[in-house]
Amino acid sequence: TAACLLHRHMKKILMASLAAVVVQPLVLMARMAPAFFSSPGDLDGLGVVVLVMSQIAGVMVLALGVPAFLALRRLRRESWTSLALVGLVLGAAPVAALFWPQHSKGYSEGEYWHGRFVQTYVNGAPTSYAWLEYGEDVLFFGLHGLAGALAFYGVWRLLARADRPIQTASPAGG
């Protein structure tokens, strides 16, 4: 029946969405591994970071990812490449828009970037390091979106295959 099909469809979306969220701590660990291995400090607070990141990922998946998937599905364009591209853009775009380096007269700041102290703002102007850090952040969040989209797609396809009836070969000559 139509209600049964809708229920299965929603279940697949829910499971695929869960996969898109669950993969995020793995992406974070891969992304942060060099800093963790080169730092003598402990990992205090990592659990809170993972929890907050998972909550944000859940909101992003439900608010942007699922509607994008449904739009692609409606257009019959739900391939792994189209989902990967959309995931990359949806992961990167909010960070790109919200954290664009701004000029702020009189403001100066420096920070450690890849183990070296650098000036990121000098008298209110973003330096090349501010722009490099910005690009790196946009790229990293884009990779989070990409990984989430591919996890979503993989689970979606796996569950879609499970819905197909098993075809048996007909006996020879029959």
Side-chain angles (χ1 to χ4, degrees):
T1 67
C4 185
L5 284 174
L6 179 62
H7 181 263
R8 281 198 314 234
H9 187 68
M10 295 305 290
K11 184 178 175 182
K12 286 189 287 189
I13 288 176
L14 178 64
M15 296 302 290
S17 297
L18 187 59
V21 172
V22 168
V23 76
Q24 296 310 312
L26 301 174
V27 175
L28 177 70
M29 286 189 286
R31 181 179 131 189
M32 301 301 285
F36 286 146
F37 291 127
S38 67
S39 174
D42 54 18
L43 301 178
D44 288 344
L46 183 62
V48 172
V49 169
V50 169
L51 179 66
V52 170
M53 182 194 56
S54 298
Q55 290 172 338
I56 292 169
V59 169
M60 293 293 288
V61 167
L62 293 177
L64 300 175
V66 170
F69 170 74
L70 293 174
L72 287 170
R73 186 159 171 76
R74 183 165 213 183
L75 296 169
R76 297 184 189 274
R77 300 277 186 230
E78 74 272 19
S79 68
W80 73 269
T81 52
S82 60
L83 257 72
L85 180 61
V86 167
L88 181 75
V89 170
L90 291 179
V95 173
L98 292 173
F99 297 106
W100 183 269
Q102 301 290 318
H103 290 294
S104 182
K105 187 173 173 108
Y107 177 72
S108 292
E109 179 183 63
E111 61 185 64
Y112 283 94
W113 189 68
H114 298 281
R116 186 172 146 223
F117 189 81
V118 296
Q119 292 292 321
T120 50
Y121 287 86
V122 176
N123 196 23
T127 66
S128 58
Y129 288 107
W131 287 103
L132 288 170
E133 181 180 39
Y134 169 77
E136 202 173 62
D137 289 344
V138 170
L139 176 66
F140 282 146
F141 279 91
L143 291 175
H144 277 280
L146 173 74
L150 292 176
F152 183 101
Y153 182 75
V155 169
W156 175 265
R157 292 289 296 174
L158 185 68
L159 295 174
R161 284 189 187 143
D163 279 349
R164 292 186 189 141
I166 298 173
Q167 296 181 2
T168 57
S170 60

